[in-house]
Each structure stands twice: as C-alpha cells, then as structure tokens.
Amino acid sequence: MVPVTNFTEDENQKTYGELVCSAEFIRGVDVEFILLSAVNVFLSITALLGNTLILVALHKENSLHLPSKLLYRNLAITDLCVGIIGQPLSVVYWTSVVNKRWNICYYSLPGSRFSGYILCSVSLSTSTLLSVDRLLALLLGFRYRQVVTLRRTCITVIGFWILSIVASSTLFWNSLITSWYQYIGTAMCLVTTIFAYTKIFFSMRHNQIHVQNHVAQGQRRQAIPLNIARYRKAVYNALWVQVTLVICYLPYGIVVALQPQKGMSLSVYCASQFTATFVYLNSSLNPLLYCWKIREVRQAVKETLRQLFWRSS
C-alpha cells in the first residue's frame, strides 16, 4: 500500500530529481515499483517486436499513399523507440529506487522523462497529422496528391521531431517551460484533431446525401460510392489510432492535472508512475491496430511471418 505523504516548504526547495530520488520521499513502494518494472519489461519486448514487424510490413506494402505511409512509419518508429529507450530507462529508475541506488536513480530519471516528453510529443503530433491528412484528402480531391507530397510530409515530420527535442530539452534548465509546452501542445493537437474529424464526418454525410440524390446511373454511380467507401475506411483507421492514443494518455493527463502545485504527494506521484505504463501500453497496441484495421498491412505482416517461419524451418 502506497503511503500518503505530502512534502511542502523545505522539501519544495529540492529539485524534482533530488526529491523523487531520496529515501525520505520514496519509501514503502518497493512492491509497486517491482510490479511496474516487470510489466514494462514485457511491454518493452512486445513494442520492440510488434513495431519492428510493422516497419518491415510497411516497407513491403505498396498500395498506401506514400505520405500516409510515412506517417504510419513515423508512429511505428516512435513506438519502437519507446520499447528500446523509454521503457528501459523507466525500468532502470524503478529498480534503482527499489535497490536504493540513488546515483543511478538521479541520472536515469531525467533520461526517462526527457525521452518520454519527446516520444509522446511526436506520437501526439503524428496522430494529429494523420487526421489533417485525411481532411486534406477530402477537401482537395484530385489535387490531394499534388499538394500532399512525400517531400512536404517528410519536412513536416522532421520539423515536429526537432520541435519536440528542443522543447523537451528545456526540462534540464526550466521544467516550467516544458510543462507549458506540454499543456499548450496537447491542447492544440486535440483541438486540431477534433476539428478535422468533425469536418470530415459532416462532409461525408453531406456527400452521401448528394450521391444519393444527384449521381447519374451507370459506371459513374458505381465509381463514386466505391471511392467514398475506401476513403471512409482510411478515416476510421486513422481515428482508431487517435482514440486508442487518447484512451492510453488520458489517465496520466488526469493525474498530472490533479498533482498539487505546492508540495508533492507520494500517492499522486506513484499514480503518475502507474498511469505512465498506460502511455507505454499504446506503443504495444498500435501494431495490433494496424494489423486489425489496415488490410494491406495485415497481409504484409502475414507474408513476413510466413517467410520467417519458412526460413527457420
């Protein structure tokens, strides 16, 4: 059972790392941190294997539009980095607390937070770009492939990586800037995503009524509904990714919002560590989503697994 302890006044003069890497603050949580370490070692392995398989499958798959394919690749790379970097650093922090290795704790904690800020920021921005990409495909029509090119998408993705790294770097000299970037960036991504999908679903509803009332008979009437059906499927695929991300990130966001501005509660801090595991869980769930919702990726994954088993046998 995590003790409920509040640290104020003198303890507030300590840096965040000094506070959470001290025996005075962290006590009675060995069982909880051991459990977190075991769960995240498992999730790290699944994220590593699952996203590696998805990257191989995306390399083989040729039917997806290249900018959209790049966005899914970027998400898979980010999730792969979570399994390789983010979760192992968190496990090192938790085990260092259990073993009272405060020197290791003091260095692994900022590394875990720094990588977490970067990877979460890139994941959130990429899922937002997916919603904007689907909206542009609807609004631009035939001009979509001319406007949304692979080069422009690549520049945008690289820009978000640079922005995330620079903004997360402020953690080392002013964590307040990092927090404000986190709040403002998350709010902007959510507002953009909500606007994009709202616009998409209203437009699809309008187009459906238009097709039913005005499309002529013959080949034209068959072609347009097929295109709409394919577009709708792509929208729902991106939406599933977005909804899963929000569900996994929401508990952590609530705990951080409830964290007191003055003083630090051990119970709330431990809750933030548990809910961070839900954030990491998103990286293991995404490969399953791609296989479930995107038929082309599912087929490529099956073919890759078939080749692996054939070579091993």
Side-chain angles (χ1 to χ4, degrees):
M1 186 69 177
V2 178
V4 178
T5 307
N6 288 302
F7 283 76
T8 56
E9 297 178 356
D10 293 341
E11 288 78 2
N12 258 343
Q13 304 304 316
K14 296 182 178 180
T15 66
Y16 182 84
E18 290 172 341
L19 183 61
V20 301
C21 286
S22 63
E24 293 81 8
F25 180 69
I26 300 291
R27 64 176 186 270
V29 296
D30 289 1
V31 174
E32 288 82 357
F33 278 16
I34 290 173
L35 176 61
L36 283 173
S37 299
V39 170
N40 279 272
V41 166
F42 173 76
L43 292 179
S44 176
I45 295 172
T46 58
L48 172 62
L49 296 178
N51 288 286
T52 300
L53 190 59
I54 292 298
L55 286 172
V56 173
L58 287 172
H59 178 72
K60 295 180 178 180
E61 203 284 317
N62 296 316
S63 63
L64 289 174
H65 184 40
L66 289 179
S68 300
K69 185 176 177 179
L70 174 62
L71 294 177
Y72 281 113
R73 271 181 170 173
N74 190 52
L75 268 180
I77 290 172
T78 306
D79 291 333
L80 183 65
C81 290
V82 169
I84 295 176
I85 302 173
Q87 287 175 291
L89 283 173
S90 293
V91 170
V92 170
Y93 163 66
W94 291 320
T95 54
S96 67
V97 170
V98 172
N99 294 308
K100 307 300 185 291
R101 303 293 296 273
W102 304 119
N103 288 334
I104 297 177
C105 174
Y106 193 72
Y107 288 105
S108 61
L109 177 63
S112 173
R113 296 179 68 202
F114 179 59
S115 62
Y117 277 126
I118 294 174
L119 297 175
C120 289
S121 177
V122 174
S123 293
L124 188 58
S125 60
T126 304
S127 63
T128 303
L129 286 176
L130 277 171
S131 67
V132 174
D133 174 69
R134 293 298 84 205
L135 178 60
L136 291 176
L138 178 66
L139 297 179
L140 297 175
F142 293 111
R143 295 179 55 242
Y144 167 70
R145 291 181 179 270
Q146 298 174 350
V147 176
V148 184
T149 63
L150 180 61
R151 181 175 180 272
R152 289 173 178 171
T153 306
C154 186
I155 291 174
T156 303
V157 168
I158 293 173
F160 274 112
W161 271 100
I162 294 174
L163 175 63
S164 299
I165 292 173
V166 171
S168 300
S169 299
T170 61
L171 177 70
F172 296 108
W173 63 82
N174 192 334
S175 60
L176 184 61
I177 297 177
T178 314
S179 298
W180 275 109
Y181 164 74
Q182 182 184 18
Y183 299 146
I184 295 173
T186 300
M188 290 179 63
C189 286
L190 290 177
V191 169
T192 302
T193 300
I194 292 172
F195 170 79
Y197 283 116
T198 301
K199 178 69 174 177
I200 286 171
F201 285 114
F202 273 109
S203 298
M204 285 198 302
R205 177 61 180 169
H206 179 268
N207 288 340
Q208 184 180 5
I209 296 174
H210 179 77
V211 168
Q212 292 173 350
N213 295 332
H214 297 92
V215 174
Q217 297 180 350
Q219 293 182 348
R220 190 182 174 192
R221 185 165 64 181
Q222 295 175 355
I224 293 179
L226 285 176
N227 292 335
I228 293 176
R230 183 175 181 180
Y231 173 77
R232 183 183 292 110
K233 183 178 180 180
V235 168
Y236 279 111
N237 291 343
L239 183 58
W240 268 101
V241 173
Q242 183 73 40
V243 169
T244 303
L245 183 145
V246 170
I247 292 174
C248 291
Y249 280 46
L250 186 60
Y252 180 78
I254 293 174
V255 170
V256 170
L258 292 176
Q259 185 171 308
Q261 297 299 315
K262 293 184 177 181
M264 174 78 73
S265 168
L266 179 58
S267 59
V268 174
Y269 177 72
C270 289
S272 72
Q273 300 302 293
F274 274 96
T275 52
T277 299
F278 285 97
V279 175
Y280 290 144
L281 175 63
N282 182 247
S283 298
S284 297
L285 292 179
N286 278 339
L288 299 177
L289 276 178
Y290 303 150
C291 292
W292 175 36
K293 302 301 296 182
I294 307 177
R295 180 177 57 85
E296 297 84 358
V297 172
R298 181 169 63 250
Q299 292 176 345
V301 167
K302 288 181 179 178
E303 180 63 26
T304 301
L305 290 175
R306 190 180 298 113
Q307 291 177 359
L308 288 175
F309 287 130
W310 181 79
R311 289 176 182 176
S312 62
S313 61

